Amino acid sequence: MFKFQLNAITAVKALVWTAVRRMEVKDVPTPTPQPGWVLMRVRYVGVCGSDVGGFLGKNELRRPPLIMGHEFTGVVEEVGPGVSKDLIGRLFAVNPIIGCGHCRYCRSGLKNLCLMRKIIGIDYPGAYAEYVAVPADNLYPVSDPVRGALAEPLATSMRAVRLSGAGLGDSVLVIGAGPVGALAVKLLSIGGVKDVTVIDINRNRLEWAGRWGASSTLSVTGDEALKSLRETHPEGFDAVIDAVGSEDTRGLAINAVRRGGRVIFVGLHDNEVTIPGNLIVRSEIEIKGSFSYTDEDFLKAVRVLESGLLDPREGWVDIRPLERGQETFEELAGTETKYVKVMFNPGG
Ligand SMILES: [Zn+2]
Ligand SMILES: [Zn+2]
């Protein structure tokens, strides 16, 4: 006698990155939750700049075919062995970073630096799909599915702002008014930093950064950018956050910071760039990378969102079906998008 079990959902719809500049909606097998994991029905999933970098073939961690998507909320539908059934039916935001739990970094709360680090949407299938499997330990209860999907980019931004050390009385330059940059402007301004300049080529995004507390917004590039910044801040900025990560923006960050100032690299646009090494030495510039977030950052981002800090229904978030994947990635790879954040709602 054969004994077999048919899963209620055998194939699910997913947006698959199949090749450079190519996104396709396909049927994929339903993920099965392994011990300690849960199966979630995805509610909302944000498109990250790093996913756009992947789409363009510029992110070495991502290899096609891949279901990306690491900024999401979902409802637990099924639990794997060893997971409490109480989670079923509840809404959560997911921290997509999975640490090994026992290396020196995991033990000191720096799961983002874990030597065996795995990320949902990079190393495991992500949330550009109707269903996704995630570890139960990575769930954070939230009350609003759209707002909850902002926890991941907000946590990234919170870490970059914190590592910049910027506080009252400091001048800060934020390069890039995409999600992480624009959210950094908001965080700096509610933290009492009044002198926040933000630079981007996309005027729509600059407008949001202006509403969120930037004291000055600039839409110029190259030498022109540095010239304008020197006019308002001749000595340079106390801190610069580069939320883009291209050769141009990394160079601009180092040239625009004051002597002895701090530059935070958080954007991941280009793998390798040339930067002015001697200037860094002679001006004693401090450069620090900021990668994703710790559990603590993620928890705080969830709290900040639950307190109502950001309203995703004001017009800066656009929500779309997975079928608009190709078009969405092309739009975000360009410079004209009207939105700070685009999300998919895979379940409709
Ligand atoms: Zn992200
Ligand atoms: Zn580890």
Side-chain angles (χ1 to χ4, degrees):
M1 276 287 275
F2 289 117
K3 218 176 160 195
F4 61 90
Q5 219 183 343
L6 251 190
N7 198 326
I9 324 138
T10 47
V12 295
K13 195 169 61 175
L15 181 67
V16 187
W17 174 47
T18 51
V20 170
R21 287 185 173 265
R22 181 133 194 86
M23 303 296 287
E24 291 176 66
V25 175
K26 286 178 176 259
D27 280 339
V28 299
T30 312
T32 315
Q34 45 176 303
W37 288 46
V38 301
L39 178 71
M40 298 181 101
R41 186 167 56 79
V42 178
R43 292 297 314 277
Y44 295 93
V45 52
V47 179
C48 179
S50 63
D51 292 338
V52 178
F55 171 75
L56 296 173
K58 288 187 172 185
N59 188 299
E60 66 192 346
L61 298 183
R62 290 165 170 81
R63 302 255 179 254
L66 175 68
I67 302 170
M68 298 193 274
H70 58 266
E71 311 178 349
F72 58 103
T73 52
V75 174
V76 173
E77 293 238 327
E78 218 179 289
V79 297
V83 180
S84 163
K85 286 198 163 43
D86 291 351
L87 298 179
I88 293 173
R90 292 172 59 193
L91 175 73
F92 296 96
V94 178
N95 178 338
I97 300 183
I98 303 165
C100 71
H102 45 258
C103 73
R104 64 182 289 184
Y105 302 105
C106 284
R107 285 182 179 201
S108 51
L110 294 167
K111 207 165 76 176
N112 58 327
L113 303 183
C114 169
L115 299 170
M116 307 288 287
R117 181 186 68 215
K118 300 272 183 260
I119 302 178
I120 306 279
I122 296 176
D123 305 293
Y124 291 101
Y128 295 155
E130 289 175 303
Y131 286 84
V132 64
V134 304
D137 284 350
N138 293 39
L139 301 177
Y140 290 74
V142 291
S143 57
D144 179 312
V146 179
R147 202 167 267 174
L150 294 166
E152 201 272 355
L154 183 64
T156 302
S157 195
M158 281 175 87
R159 181 163 188 81
V161 168
R162 189 154 51 76
L163 294 179
S164 79
L168 292 175
D170 282 333
S171 59
V172 184
L173 169 65
V174 176
I175 304 175
V180 171
L183 291 172
V185 170
K186 179 93 178 180
L187 293 168
L188 286 162
S189 88
I190 58 172
V193 183
K194 297 290 176 213
D195 186 350
V196 182
T197 301
V198 58
I199 185 163
D200 198 299
I201 38 180
N202 182 324
R203 287 173 196 275
N204 303 314
R205 285 182 158 179
L206 275 182
E207 213 169 285
W208 285 105
R211 282 189 221 180
W212 288 352
S215 47
S216 142
T217 60
L218 268 179
S219 173
V220 282
T221 51
D223 295 345
E224 203 53 38
L226 190 59
K227 219 177 104 205
S228 311
L229 295 170
R230 289 248 164 89
E231 275 163 22
T232 56
H233 293 77
E235 291 186 345
F237 292 82
D238 294 306
V240 179
I241 296 173
D242 174 23
V244 178
S246 69
E247 172 133 348
D248 278 0
T249 62
R250 286 179 179 156
L252 179 64
I254 293 164
N255 278 287
V257 77
R258 70 164 166 81
R259 293 187 171 190
R262 187 179 291 184
V263 172
I264 299 296
F265 283 166
V266 60
L268 289 162
H269 196 277
D270 289 330
N271 268 337
E272 289 186 28
V273 299
T274 305
I275 51 174
N278 286 0
L279 177 65
I280 298 168
V281 175
R282 293 193 187 110
S283 301
E284 294 199 339
I285 293 164
E286 235 184 292
I287 299 181
K288 182 145 180 54
S290 179
F291 181 69
S292 62
Y293 33 78
T294 61
D295 285 355
E296 181 81 11
D297 296 319
F298 201 93
L299 175 74
K300 285 185 181 167
V302 168
R303 278 192 189 161
V304 165
L305 288 165
E306 290 290 311
S307 77
L309 171 78
L310 287 159
D311 183 358
R313 290 163 181 94
E314 277 177 332
W316 55 278
V317 175
D318 195 42
I319 295 166
R320 305 171 180 185
L322 287 180
E323 284 73 12
R324 290 181 63 192
Q326 177 73 27
E327 160 204 346
T328 296
F329 273 81
E330 275 166 14
E331 173 185 328
L332 295 176
T335 57
E336 302 289 314
T337 184
K338 287 203 202 77
Y339 307 101
V340 176
K341 178 59 76 184
V342 176
M343 291 183 188
F344 295 116
N345 56 343

